[in-house]
Amino acid sequence: MSSTSPRRTALDALHRSLGATMTDFAGWDMPLRYGSERDEHTAVRTRAGLFDLSHMGEITVTGPDAARLLDFALVGNIGSVGVGRARYTMICRADGGILDDLIVYRLAETEYMVVANASNAQVVLDALVERADGFDAEVRDDRDAYALLAVQGPESPGILKSLTDADLDGLKYYAGLPGTVAGVPALIARTGYTGEDGFELFVKPADAVGLWQALTEAGAGVGLVPCGLSCRDTLRLEAGMPLYGNELSTALTPFDAGLGRVVKFEKDGDFVGREALEKAAALAQADPPRVLVGLVAEGRRVPRSGYQVVAGGEVIGEVTSGAPSPTLGKPIAMAYVDAAHAAPGTAGVGVDIRGTHEPYEVVALPFYKRQK
C-alpha cells in the first residue's frame, strides 16, 4: 500500500452519519463499531445485523479457459463447480504457502468471480494475472465495480424476502444467484462468515446507499442493527472460521492449517504448489503438525494473537486469535498446539498472559454452531 489516505466505500458518509467508530483496515476506512460491539454481536446471533464489506476484493475471470486457469492457479477443483454455486478454496505459492483463502462463484459457463480478502486482493490479482499466461482467459480487477452488503442472522431471510422475489428458499449455502433487491440489480450470495444464516449482496457502488436504507427499514421491526468489523471478528471466532494473517499465512500450507481438504490432488493437470503440497500432505500424515484447536478460559483474562500456549512448563503452541465470547460469556481463543495436547479435554494447558499461566480448556472447534 502507498502512504495515501485510506480508501472509502460508497457507504462512508452513511457510516459517519450513524456515529460509527472508523478504523483503517487493509487500506480502507471501515466501521469498527456503531455502538456496543457486544450488542452488535448479539443482534447477529439472535436477530440480524447489517455489514458493509465493500473492502473485499472482487476479481472476474472470463473466457473459454477460465475454469482451466482457475484449476491451475488455485488448489481447488473449480471446474467442477456448477453455475450458480460457490466454493471455498485457497491460492498458494509454489512452495505451498497460503497466499489467501478465497470464495469463487461460478456466474456463468465461462465466467467466475473470485473474492479475495481486502489485505491480499492485489497479491491475488497479480498472481492470477501472472498465472493466466498461456490460457485463453481474461483476469479483470473488479474491485471498484462492486459494493458488498451483508445481512446476517436468523431474521435475515425474512428481511430479504420482503425486498426481493428471488428464490431465497432455493438458494443453498455456498451458492449465488442474480436478482433484484429493493429495485436494485444484485448478485445474491449465501456464503456468510458469522456462523449464522445470511446473505451477501454484490451491487454497483451507486446503489449501495439506497439498498442499505431499504434493508434498514425492512429490518426495523425485527431488531436489525448496523454492525462493524469488531463484532464480525468475534462472530467468526466463535464459529471457528480462520482469518488470513491470524490462522492462515504464507508460512503455513493448507495441511498445516488443518484445511488440507480444500486441496484437490485428484483434479486433472498440474496446479501451482502441487508438488510441495503433496509432500506437505505426506508429512502431515507421518508427523502431524501443530493442530488448530479451541481454548476456553477458566478465568477472565483475554488471550491475544501471539501469546504462548504452555503445558508442564513447556511452550506447546501459540494463540492465533482471542477475544471475549459474548455467546459463551468467557474469553476464547484459537491456537495452534502440538498434536499431543490437541485432544479436547487435555489437562494442564494454559496461556501465558504477561507472565502468568492462565488455565484454559482445550475444546473442539467451532465454539458455536447455530441451531438449524
Side-chain angles (χ1 to χ4, degrees), residues 186-312:
L187 172 67
I188 306 167
R190 205 170 200 164
T191 52
Y193 186 64
T194 59
E196 297 299 334
D197 193 10
F199 303 89
E200 298 74 49
L201 307 169
F202 294 86
V203 299
K204 290 177 182 167
D207 293 330
V209 170
L211 181 56
W212 179 284
Q213 290 169 336
L215 288 162
T216 299
E217 287 169 23
V222 291
L224 173 86
V225 300
C227 292
L229 293 180
S230 187
C231 83
R232 179 172 155 87
D233 193 46
T234 52
L235 288 159
R236 70 92 197 166
L237 175 54
E238 288 185 349
M241 293 174 168
L243 176 66
Y244 195 89
N246 291 47
E247 287 72 39
L248 309 174
S249 74
T250 52
L252 299 171
T253 73
F255 295 94
D256 295 324
L259 291 165
R261 64 181 181 274
V262 307
V263 181
K264 303 300 182 187
F265 293 121
E266 69 274 17
K267 65 180 173 176
D268 292 336
D270 195 16
F271 62 90
V272 177
R274 179 191 270 273
E275 191 180 336
L277 289 168
E278 283 173 344
K279 288 178 184 168
L283 197 64
Q285 276 196 313
D287 180 21
R290 283 184 165 176
V291 180
L292 189 64
V293 301
L295 299 174
V296 177
E298 294 180 19
R300 309 302 308 168
R301 296 182 76 185
V302 179
R304 298 295 181 193
S305 178
Y307 285 14
Q308 291 179 334
V309 183
V310 293

Side-chain angles (χ1 to χ4, degrees), residues 323-365:
S325 164
T327 305
L328 275 63
K330 298 175 179 179
I332 60 172
M334 286 200 280
Y336 282 111
V337 302
D338 294 345
H341 294 86
T346 301
V349 172
V351 175
D352 186 337
I353 301 182
R354 296 188 190 89
T356 305
H357 291 183
E358 298 284 338
Y360 273 74
E361 181 188 0
V362 179
V363 300
L365 292 169

Side-chain angles (χ1 to χ4, degrees), residues 8-11 52 54 58 113 140 142-149 179-188 200-212:
R8 297 185 171 192
T9 77
L11 293 159
D52 177 10
S54 302
E58 295 87 6
M113 182 167 70
R140 189 172 71 233
D142 271 347
R143 284 177 286 179
D144 292 336
Y146 292 102
L148 176 57
L149 280 63
T180 302
V181 182
V184 169
L187 172 67
I188 306 167
E200 298 74 49
L201 307 169
F202 294 86
V203 299
K204 290 177 182 167
D207 293 330
V209 170
L211 181 56
W212 179 284

Side-chain angles (χ1 to χ4, degrees), residues 3-79:
S3 59
T4 53
S5 55
R7 298 177 69 180
R8 297 185 171 192
T9 77
L11 293 159
D12 184 78
L14 193 149
H15 297 317
R16 293 169 195 279
S17 75
L18 291 171
T21 300
M22 306 297 286
T23 188
D24 182 344
F25 182 81
W28 289 82
D29 218 4
M30 297 296 294
L32 190 62
R33 69 181 75 81
Y34 298 84
S36 154
E37 57 203 54
R38 176 180 288 268
D39 290 348
E40 291 171 24
H41 180 111
T42 303
V44 174
R45 286 274 177 259
T46 59
R47 303 184 306 277
L50 180 58
F51 296 83
D52 177 10
L53 305 180
S54 302
H55 60 311
M56 300 296 281
E58 295 87 6
I59 301 161
T60 304
V61 180
T62 56
D65 284 351
R68 282 185 56 232
L69 163 58
L70 290 171
D71 276 340
F72 169 71
L74 312 180
V75 301
N77 189 346
I78 307 304

